[in-house]
Amino acid sequence: MDLKEIGKKAKDASFLLGKMGSGEKNKGLLAAAEEMLKGQDEILKANANDVKKAKEKGMAQGLVDRLLLTPDRILGIVEGMRQVAGLEDPVGEVISMKKRPNGLVVGQKRVPMGVIGMIYEARPNVTADAFALCFKTGNAVILRGGSDALESNEAIVACIRRGLSSCGIPEDAVFLLSDTSRETAREFMRMNQYLDVLIPRGGAGLIKSVVENSTVPVIETGTGNCHIYVDETADLAMAADILFNAKTQRIGVCNACESVLVHRAVADTFLPLMKKRLDEKQVEIRADEASRAVVPEFKEATEEDWGREYLDYILSCKIVDSVDEAIAHINTYNTGHSEAIVTSDYGNAQKFLDEVDAAAVYVNASTRFTDGFEFGFGAEIGISTQKLHARGPMGLLALTSTKYIIYGNGQIRE
Amino acid sequence: MDLKEIGKKAKDASFLLGKMGSGEKNKGLLAAAEEMLKGQDEILKANANDVKKAKEKGMAQGLVDRLLLTPDRILGIVEGMRQVAGLEDPVGEVISMKKRPNGLVVGQKRVPMGVIGMIYEARPNVTADAFALCFKTGNAVILRGGSDALESNEAIVACIRRGLSSCGIPEDAVFLLSDTSRETAREFMRMNQYLDVLIPRGGAGLIKSVVENSTVPVIETGTGNCHIYVDETADLAMAADILFNAKTQRIGVCNACESVLVHRAVADTFLPLMKKRLDEKQVEIRADEASRAVVPEFKEATEEDWGREYLDYILSCKIVDSVDEAIAHINTYNTGHSEAIVTSDYGNAQKFLDEVDAAAVYVNASTRFTDGFEFGFGAEIGISTQKLHARGPMGLLALTSTKYIIYGNGQIRE
């Protein structure tokens, strides 16, 4: 089936999904989850093929691990789908409705986006996740996963389609692009006639490519060069705990801390304390000259380090003279993701919250909390680092749009 | 000054604007308006040069009229700026704030976008309008107006900058690109480092070019192929009034009606009635065969007519057998702008509101009401026909983003 045909079928399906009540959608979602369990052997077999080929190609161990499915992981994915069925459906809510002086009643209602395109890497769990969230919000979805997960994705989508079909719901609510060529990806990113929005999920390279090549509106999900600023008045033990958590609890994620800024007045005390904590995990610290004057064992940072998202046991470190300098540094080098201050000063806390330009700004907490589940959304399709439409963790609401509905009785414009 | 330098200066200014209270912003806005009045002669002189050159180039009369400024029109623009000063400032509002089980308090606050880029045609009023709305919401703005209005725009922006400066507000809150070449426009559309959002305002060609070439997130403001569907149970006199208003009250606007769909059961009565009304304004009707069987004077419509935004005294006309056929036709050919049904049937009214995919869907009213002022927003930066971020008329709220602010007391993630 060619891309246009897929687009057209998905668009047609989206009109039907848009009319469905939550009850019917939840039924479809649970049936799809059930079919994934029933089809577990089929999925594992397909996945074993993908993993075998990936290893033969010499794929890095970390990536192979993301690709690998096990019965436990499938159960986890199925559990996730069931949880989405249990979430409140935002579609149909009328957010506001007011009568105008001429008697027109103008309301604004939440509606599905229509057709959502997802472009992501070789992570088969995203296939089921993305389907569940898009479907719950009444959207059709076209998935373009990484080529290394193609067989796994095909098996998963086959199960989902069987589940939908068993409830009389159009299978075309979900499509997987089996052609994973770059040419097709480019054509996909320019399908404005059929796609209402495109969401890339993956590393910086993938996201950059989508932002640069797409003519369909994109929600940029993000890389995170996240900072922790240890203020003059910080509780230094708390600061060390927060930094240790944000840097080392999980290194490969976008809300992990990559850079620490320390107020000059507490540097002599804090830097050795910090080093001791981070040594437990052998974190390499790349520091400016002033920090190295305090702890000579720190490596030398280059200008390039201030902008790096390491996703590794590496941290950049810089001494600053004030909260203003910290804010200016962050607003220069950050990626608009998550930033934290550790302080006991009311004014500095408020200043940091007000002036730092990022999706999530923290006082006295780890940046690792930037997450749809931690924020209480019950789900997450990604974390937006752009300012348009959605910013920060995106739950079901981010997958909806609105429409004005206007009730008249013959009004014409003078 | 080169584009990057402008971008950097605008970004720096945006951080200062983001910190300003409404009082200070309103003061700046009123001072800018005052300077426009004081500089009226300067603006009129620059505009006279633009108009002279445009006429020499043979610009169409309608476009020359959009370019032309008069003392009255300048007063109108200044009045508009004063009205924006009187509107409520959405920035700083905390939309929600909840405590999580771990004690973290997660709030969501409205913040400015940052730097907004505007690309528009030779309409100098847009220069002052766009500045006022962006500035009121704490955004810096970089304006790229049509080359035919360059002198007028330069004079207007000079007045605005003087006004800001007189209040101690950074002039760099507003920039006008004096280089109106295509190459610079292309570079402008890819300035992701400095621009947070790009809003094109103008005809279909301009908007298409921005959507296709921009890597900065775009809010697509739209063309309107708007329909009116006259249902079997419509009050036909009301239908004729609404259609007459929507088609002829102002032909060159995006919320004007371009196509009428008529239920077969009322075609024999309605089509002659409609013809009589529209003849008052010599509206040309391009109809399908079934309609021409009723009124042979109608011209023959081609397939192409169903997708046309005429912006002229022309209307396409088609007979349908049901509300479902009307909805399917609209969802195939419309541009997602404004659509109306005229009916007395409860079920059909609800069905139309639910199933038509457009920014604004009307029952028994003219499509001409899709407008920020008519909807009660007090202002309008454009009408969005995309589903991301804002849909329909955009007031001040559409020029803001949000940011999560999180208050902790040492929380780390387990």
Side-chain angles (χ1 to χ4, degrees), chain B residues 31-47:
Chain B
E34 206 50 49
E35 284 295 328
M36 291 229 353
L37 274 190
K38 276 197 220 159
Q40 179 174 312
D41 291 346
E42 174 193 340
I43 295 171
L44 288 171
K45 201 177 144 196
N47 184 252

Side-chain angles (χ1 to χ4, degrees), chain A residues 337-363:
Chain A
H337 199 293
S338 302
E339 308 295 343
I341 183 175
V342 185
T343 189
S344 302
D345 185 273
Y346 172 80
N348 288 357
Q350 292 302 118
K351 192 185 226 314
F352 195 87
L353 286 173
D354 277 352
E355 298 183 16
V356 167
D357 190 23
V361 188
Y362 293 83
V363 178

Side-chain angles (χ1 to χ4, degrees), chain A residues 100 109 113 245 353-354 356 359 361 363-364 368 374 387 389 391 401-404 406 408 410 413, chain B residues 100 109 113 245 353-354 356 359 361 363-364 368 374 387 389 391 401-404 406 408 410 413:
Chain A
R100 299 291 307 149
K109 189 168 87 159
M113 283 278 178
N245 181 259
L353 286 173
D354 277 352
V356 167
V361 188
V363 178
N364 296 343
R368 286 281 292 114
E374 294 293 335
K387 295 186 188 167
H389 184 69
R391 196 178 189 199
S401 180
T402 59
K403 144 163 124 181
Y404 285 102
I406 302 106
R413 190 155 167 192
Chain B
R100 300 290 308 147
K109 190 168 86 160
M113 283 280 178
N245 181 258
L353 287 172
D354 277 352
V356 167
V361 188
V363 178
N364 295 343
R368 287 280 292 115
E374 294 293 335
K387 295 185 187 168
H389 185 69
R391 196 178 190 200
S401 180
T402 60
K403 144 163 123 179
Y404 285 102
I406 303 107
R413 189 154 167 193

Side-chain angles (χ1 to χ4, degrees), chain B residues 99-154:
Chain B
K99 195 172 230 173
R100 300 290 308 147
N102 61 359
L104 273 186
V105 176
V106 179
Q108 193 179 20
K109 190 168 86 160
R110 290 201 202 285
V111 297
M113 283 280 178
V115 182
I116 296 177
M118 291 281 310
I119 298 190
Y120 54 103
E121 290 166 346
R123 302 182 63 176
N125 61 315
V126 175
T127 305
D129 259 24
F131 158 73
L133 298 173
C134 293
F135 182 77
K136 172 82 188 200
T137 41
N139 295 291
V141 63
I142 304 178
L143 303 163
R144 197 280 190 186
S147 54
D148 294 318
L150 185 59
E151 288 195 45
S152 315
N153 289 339
E154 283 179 331

